């Protein structure tokens, strides 16, 4: 099926069995939206149903059935925990409006004990996966992850989820959730998951907001780790954010850094400088739905008229459960 061309769409929900993580009974869906981001709980949904499948905590999965001439596809869009619904009446017609939380919600609801810590030398991906493996959703992690060069101690109000994010950020990896609600700890994307091209894979609407919010981005980064300190500078004449091109220094400092195994304080300062400079360009647009593209993934975008050339990292998405699963998307220059 060619997702860059038009298709018809139908949606429904399925109740998810928490033991097998498979669909059970089907529930009809009247509309709604799915929200995705690259931080926090990462996903949520506003789902309108015709009936409510029972009482208590209910896990649901939203499906898209797409048709295109003789081709078709059956794609999961979201899996999460349904909250208490609100019912609306229009005459004799009834709609249940529900808010749904992502599969990371159980990890957000657990507080870590005071003094809990992850020791230096720990496999970062394994530690993060263990913290997230407290709900029914399957959790996996890739092998050969960086180990922590220093311990990470739980702060006041630290949850399993916030600690998992601290670990993942420390090793420079990511948390990814697919449409089936399966959680994975993996390296940050290095290759595009899809291509948006004005000539060959044209699926972007041409109303584009392109913001270059470089004002607060640093060109000097100072990192402190115990008694060590390092300063990374961007003095590159080809960099638009450099001290040379801006004509001034913009500093950022981080204290008590968490280093990866084998990472020097100088390497850390340089890595963080590059990360803090990356949000300088944010692009927002609407496009056709393409399966298995979620926040954190890379897109190769070639729309030269709009000045969009190269790799961009997805930061936010909204999927409308209506005609052709139209997507609102925000990407950051990678």
């Amino acid at each position: 099926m060619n997702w860059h061309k038009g298709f018809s769409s139908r949606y429904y929900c399925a109740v998810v069995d928490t033991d097998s993580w498979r669909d059970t009974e089907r529930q009809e869906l009247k509309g709604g939206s799915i929200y995705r981001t690259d931080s926090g709980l990462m996903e949520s949904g506003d789902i309108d149903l015709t009936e409510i499948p029972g009482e208590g905590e209910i896990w649901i999965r939203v499906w898209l059935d797409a048709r295109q001439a003789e081709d078709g596809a059956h794609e999961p869009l979201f899996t999460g925990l349904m909250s208490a619904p609100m019912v609306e009446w229009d005459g004799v017609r009834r709609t249940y409006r529900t808010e749904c939380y992502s599969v990371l919600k159980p990890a957000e609801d657990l507080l870590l004990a005071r003094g809990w810590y992850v020791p230096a030398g720990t496999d970062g991906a394994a530690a993060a996966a263990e913290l997230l493996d407290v709900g029914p959703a399957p959790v996996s992690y890739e092998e050969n992850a960086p180990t922590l060069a220093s311990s990470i101690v739980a702060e006041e109000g630290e949850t399993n989820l916030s600690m998992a994010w601290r670990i993942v950020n420390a090793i420079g990896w990511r948390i990814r959730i697919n449409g089936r609600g399966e959680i994975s700890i993996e390296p940050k994307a290095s290759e595009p998951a899809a291509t948006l091209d004005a000539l060959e894979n044209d699926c972007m609407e041409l109303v584009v907001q392109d913001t270059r919010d470089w004002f607060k981005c640093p060109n000097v980064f100072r990192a402190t780790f115990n008694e060590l300190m390092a300063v990374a500078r961007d003095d590159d004449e080809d960099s638009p954010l450099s001290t040379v091109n801006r004509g001034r220094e913009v500093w950022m400092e981080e204290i008590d850094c968490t280093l990866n195994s084998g990472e020097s304080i100088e390497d850390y300062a340089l890595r963080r400088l590059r990360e803090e400079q990356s949000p300088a360009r944010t692009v927002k647009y609407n496009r056709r739905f393409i399966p298995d593209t979620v926040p954190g993934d890379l897109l190769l975008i070639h729309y030269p008229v709009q000045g969009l050339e190269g790799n961009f990292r997805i930061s936010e998405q909204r999927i409308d459960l209506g005609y052709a699963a139209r997507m609102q998307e925000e990407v950051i220059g990678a």
Side-chain angles (χ1 to χ4, degrees):
M1 180 164 163
N2 187 344
W3 292 98
H4 299 93
K5 296 183 178 180
F7 58 87
S8 63
S9 56
R10 296 186 65 183
Y11 309 88
Y12 73 90
C13 280
V15 177
V16 177
D17 179 76
T18 55
D19 293 326
S20 65
W21 207 237
R22 295 181 178 178
D23 296 354
T24 57
E25 60 183 287
R26 174 174 173 146
Q27 296 290 319
E28 294 307 315
L29 183 153
K30 297 183 68 174
S33 300
I34 294 165
Y35 307 89
R36 298 169 174 170
T37 185
D38 59 0
S39 61
L41 284 170
M42 299 191 72
E43 293 186 337
S44 64
D46 295 326
I47 311 297
D48 296 342
L49 300 173
T50 57
E51 298 290 340
I52 292 298
E55 300 289 338
E57 289 197 346
I58 299 171
W59 293 81
I60 63 170
R61 182 170 292 133
V62 178
W63 288 92
L64 163 66
D65 283 332
R67 295 294 304 175
Q68 186 183 78
E70 300 300 319
D71 292 328
H74 184 58
E75 292 291 333
L77 301 180
F78 170 81
T79 303
L81 179 62
M82 188 177 70
S83 69
M86 174 183 69
V87 62
E88 288 187 357
W89 288 91
D90 181 3
V92 297
R93 289 182 295 183
R94 179 178 57 189
T95 299
Y96 290 96
R97 302 194 180 280
T98 69
E99 296 181 1
C100 299
Y101 297 97
S102 87
V103 291
L104 298 178
K105 181 61 175 169
E108 185 189 53
D109 290 338
L110 282 179
L111 285 173
L112 291 173
R114 293 178 181 271
W116 192 96
Y117 72 100
V118 187
T122 299
D123 181 305
E130 184 177 357
L131 286 164
L132 298 180
D133 194 15
V134 292
V139 182
S140 63
Y141 62 92
E142 291 195 20
E143 302 291 338
N144 301 316
T147 58
L148 296 176
S150 60
S151 301
I152 303 180
V153 181
E155 298 176 350
E156 188 73 23
E158 194 89 69
T159 67
N160 278 40
L161 179 59
S162 63
M163 177 58 76
W165 274 116
R166 290 179 65 187
I167 295 171
V168 167
N169 290 333
I171 65 174
W173 280 31
R174 63 185 289 208
I175 301 172
R176 192 178 192 274
I177 306 173
N178 65 20
R180 294 181 180 273
E182 298 163 339
I183 306 165
S184 61
I185 312 298
E186 57 190 62
K188 289 184 177 179
S190 58
E191 297 294 332
T195 300
L196 313 183
D197 190 293
L199 298 177
E200 297 183 3
N201 299 311
D202 185 15
C203 63
M204 182 192 298
E205 298 179 16
L206 298 184
V207 177
V208 177
Q209 296 181 14
D210 190 348
T211 305
R212 299 174 186 265
D213 186 13
W214 50 264
F215 187 75
K216 296 180 181 179
C217 292
N219 48 28
V220 183
F221 192 97
R222 181 164 63 196
T224 303
F225 175 67
N226 295 333
E227 302 299 321
L228 303 176
M229 186 189 71
V231 175
R233 301 177 56 89
D234 180 4
D235 298 320
D236 187 354
E237 293 182 356
D238 295 327
S239 169
L241 300 176
S242 69
T243 58
V244 177
N245 288 314
R246 293 169 83 170
R248 65 190 183 99
E249 295 180 357
V250 181
W251 283 66
M252 179 175 287
E253 183 176 37
E254 193 169 298
I255 302 173
D256 297 330
C257 307
T258 303
L259 309 183
N260 295 338
S261 178
E263 185 177 43
S264 68
I265 188 66
E266 291 80 12
D267 292 338
Y268 180 89
L270 182 59
R271 171 166 68 87
R272 291 290 292 119
L273 176 61
R274 290 171 176 168
E275 290 173 351
E276 290 297 330
Q277 288 186 331
S278 65
R281 186 182 189 189
T282 302
V283 182
K284 297 181 180 181
Y285 53 82
N286 297 328
R287 68 167 172 87
R288 297 185 189 274
F289 173 80
I290 300 174
D292 207 28
T293 53
V294 299
D297 288 349
L298 292 179
L299 295 177
L300 177 59
I301 302 181
H302 176 68
Y303 277 75
V305 173
Q306 288 72 34
L308 303 178
E309 294 276 4
N311 287 334
F312 292 79
R313 190 177 304 276
I314 302 171
S315 58
E316 294 182 12
Q317 293 176 327
R318 169 177 167 162
I319 305 175
D320 292 326
L321 303 181
Y323 177 74
R326 182 171 180 258
M327 299 185 71
Q328 300 174 35
E329 190 163 67
E330 177 181 292
V331 296
I332 294 172

